[in-house]
């Protein structure tokens, strides 16, 4: 593999974190124009301007999406993802300009940025009222905010470290969430030509063929996907090592593929029986959640409660029984939220 990498440093994280914090507060306040209210007096009618600001009411109308609209969203993003796959394939075997983000093993390439730009520009041009969360936009200080509005959640290259090395286990991960719930999930490995798709209520597919999770319920027959991650925080690393030691003797085996989205796709197609991780971001898991749910699998927080997509914690399994057996063994870790 031609491993011509040129490394550059990303602007320092601290400045970015401060910027993100102030953006977060600012973006929450929104006023809508005052409303005119009518007071009916028995003898007559007069209009009174009640200058009370109202929040959020104006939005409810936009979020009820019917099936034909969802199908339009799905067809549009499927075609865009295929096109983005061409860009990734073109750069797969070429020299790469690699930027170091939060630490030496947290990387981004020009291809990540190019793919995210293509997807975001095309989707927001086609659907102007929609919102988005993109891995690289957040790295550049955009608030990571999931509201009730239709929101595209994009990881342009999930498994960037693999992409940098030319190890063909990476993918484009795109999801649409509406009212903070998943509607569409697409995970595409353009090198191995694996196109995983799901629409809520319409099933999960691999290259157009329906997929479902395995029927494995016992730990000793289970294959677990687990990651070391791109953080070298000693506390986090200690938890990863401890979980590896605890779990390995209990399972058939452990696999670490380097991509959260592809790990979830492996569980959805029954190739693995469970995947959990601390430290991932909403963009790593947003497409995998509907895929697992539509494949008949189980999605939760690693401690067993409901999944919080911004908590940076995830567990998925072939079924609830398997999940309930592995969760009590897990050493927990609580990273800073997205
Ligand atoms: C990666 C995830 C992986 C995790 C890495 C990183 P990226 O996403 O897919 O599961 O272990 O730390 O977050 O950075 O390649 O998009």
């Amino acid at each position: 593999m031609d491993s011509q990498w040129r490394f550059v440093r990303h602007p320092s994280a601290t400045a970015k974190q401060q910027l993100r914090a102030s953006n977060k507060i600012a973006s929450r306040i929104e006023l809508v124009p005052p409303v005119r209210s009518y007071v009916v007096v028995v003898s007559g009618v007069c209009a009174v301007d009640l200058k009370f600001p109202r929040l959020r009411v104006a939005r409810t109308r936009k979020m009820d999406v019917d099936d034909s609209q969802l199908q339009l969203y799905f067809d549009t993003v499927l075609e865009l993802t295929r096109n983005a796959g061409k860009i990734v394939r073109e750069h797969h075997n070429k020299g790469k300009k690699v930027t170091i983000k939060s630490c030496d093993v947290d990387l981004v390439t020009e291809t990540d940025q190019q793919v995210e730009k293509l997807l975001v520009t095309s989707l927001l041009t086609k659907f102007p009222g929609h919102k988005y969360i993109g891995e690289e936009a957040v790295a550049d200080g955009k608030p990571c905010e999931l509201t009730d509005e239709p929101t595209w959640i994009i990881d342009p290259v999930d498994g960037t470290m693999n992409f940098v090395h030319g190890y063909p286990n990476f993918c484009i991960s795109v999801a649409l969430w509406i009212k903070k719930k998943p509607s569409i999930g697409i995970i595409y490995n353009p090198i191995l030509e694996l196109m995983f798709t799901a629409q809520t209520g319409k099933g999960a597919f691999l290259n157009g063929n329906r997929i479902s999770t395995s029927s494995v319920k016992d730990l000793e027959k289970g294959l677990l996907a687990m990651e070391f991650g791109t953080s070298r925080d000693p506390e986090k690393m200690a938890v990863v090592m401890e979980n590896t030691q605890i779990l390995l003797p209990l399972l058939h085996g452990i696999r670490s593929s380097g991509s959260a989205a592809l790990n979830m796709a492996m569980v959805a197609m029954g190739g693995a029986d469970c995947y959990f991780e601390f430290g991932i971001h909403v963009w790593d898991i947003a497409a995998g959640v509907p895929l697992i749910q539509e494949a008949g699998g189980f999605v939760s927080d690693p401690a067993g409660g409901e999944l919080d997509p911004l908590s940076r914690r995830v567990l998925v399994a072939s079924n609830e029984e398997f999940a309930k057996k592995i969760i009590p063994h897990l050493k927990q870790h609580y990273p800073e939220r997205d």
Side-chain angles (χ1 to χ4, degrees):
M1 175 59 55
D2 173 0
S3 51
Q4 290 169 29
W5 311 321
R6 195 161 58 80
F7 282 87
V8 293
R9 280 210 177 278
H10 206 275
S12 77
T14 16
K16 292 264 152 213
Q17 280 154 350
Q18 279 154 3
L19 175 69
R20 206 183 284 162
S22 59
N23 280 347
K24 269 196 179 159
I25 295 161
S27 68
R28 287 237 168 84
I29 298 169
E30 190 178 346
L31 289 176
V32 290
V35 292
R36 185 175 288 277
S37 304
Y38 292 85
V39 176
V40 180
V41 180
V42 179
S43 59
V45 175
C46 70
V48 179
D49 254 342
L50 297 176
K51 288 205 177 320
F52 294 118
R54 272 183 310 134
L55 287 175
R56 306 215 173 283
V57 176
R59 290 186 192 178
T60 46
R61 275 182 294 283
K62 274 193 261 171
M63 278 170 283
D64 297 326
V65 177
D66 65 28
D67 249 15
S68 63
Q69 264 179 312
L70 265 177
Q71 193 57 46
L72 171 66
Y73 299 157
F74 180 77
D75 297 342
T76 304
V77 72
L78 185 62
E79 194 198 337
L80 282 172
T81 306
R82 281 197 196 289
N83 294 342
K86 291 179 191 142
I87 298 173
V88 175
R89 260 197 309 278
E90 265 164 43
H91 291 86
H92 171 44
N93 287 330
K94 292 209 181 111
K96 300 172 179 85
K97 180 182 166 214
V98 182
T99 303
I100 295 168
K101 294 204 287 189
S102 62
C103 68
D104 289 353
V105 292
D106 183 16
L107 309 176
V108 62
T109 71
E110 291 169 317
T111 306
D112 298 62
Q113 287 151 342
Q114 197 184 344
V115 166
E116 182 166 314
K117 196 160 175 235
L118 167 84
L119 292 169
V120 169
T121 316
S122 312
L123 288 166
L124 296 198
T125 305
K126 182 100 182 173
F127 311 118
H130 289 192
K131 305 286 181 199
Y132 82 97
I133 297 174
E135 174 171 7
E136 304 321 327
V138 172
D140 288 339
K142 184 176 186 297
C144 182
E145 212 188 10
L146 184 58
T147 66
D148 283 353
E149 300 191 41
T151 304
W152 296 96
I153 308 176
I154 297 165
D155 188 337
V157 180
D158 187 49
T160 300
M161 178 65 84
N162 290 345
F163 176 67
V164 166
H165 283 267
Y167 183 98
N169 197 60
F170 47 81
C171 62
I172 299 162
S173 173
V174 192
L176 177 65
W177 286 46
I178 302 173
K179 294 183 184 171
K180 301 190 182 80
K181 296 281 177 225
S183 293
I184 291 173
I186 295 184
I187 296 172
Y188 179 39
N189 179 330
I191 309 302
L192 303 182
E193 278 302 343
L194 300 173
M195 176 65 86
F196 295 92
T197 58
Q199 291 181 69
T200 301
K202 296 187 177 174
F205 298 84
L206 166 56
N207 297 341
N209 302 309
R210 199 155 198 149
I211 55 174
S212 61
T213 58
S214 79
S215 55
V216 172
K217 293 187 171 52
D218 301 320
L219 293 188
E220 62 274 15
K221 293 276 181 299
L223 190 65
L224 170 70
M226 204 182 138
E227 296 294 336
F228 297 97
T230 46
S231 149
R232 290 296 174 261
D233 159 45
E235 191 201 329
K236 158 86 189 297
M237 291 314 296
V239 171
V240 173
M241 296 309 174
E242 190 172 339
N243 278 325
T244 310
Q245 266 182 328
I246 295 166
L247 296 169
L248 194 55
L250 304 176
L251 295 158
H252 245 186
I254 294 180
R255 296 292 173 269
S256 178
S257 78
S259 160
L262 286 171
N263 287 337
M264 296 172 89
M266 290 307 118
V267 174
M269 62 176 270
D273 306 298
C274 184
Y275 158 67
F276 77 94
E277 189 164 359
F278 309 115
I280 36 80
H281 296 274
V282 63
W283 48 81
D284 295 312
I285 62 167
V289 170
L291 195 73
I292 296 269
Q293 290 170 337
E294 289 301 313
F298 180 76
V299 175
S300 78
D301 175 83
E306 196 183 332
L307 174 78
D308 169 351
L310 297 179
S311 68
R312 301 186 59 198
R313 296 163 45 87
V314 68
L315 182 137
V316 298
S318 46
N319 48 67
E320 186 166 2
E321 216 169 323
F322 192 98
K324 292 269 168 352
K325 286 179 184 164
I326 200 168
I327 287 171
H329 295 282
L330 297 183
K331 168 89 178 159
Q332 298 291 332
H333 179 68
Y334 294 86
E336 190 194 330
R337 289 173 64 76
D338 267 335

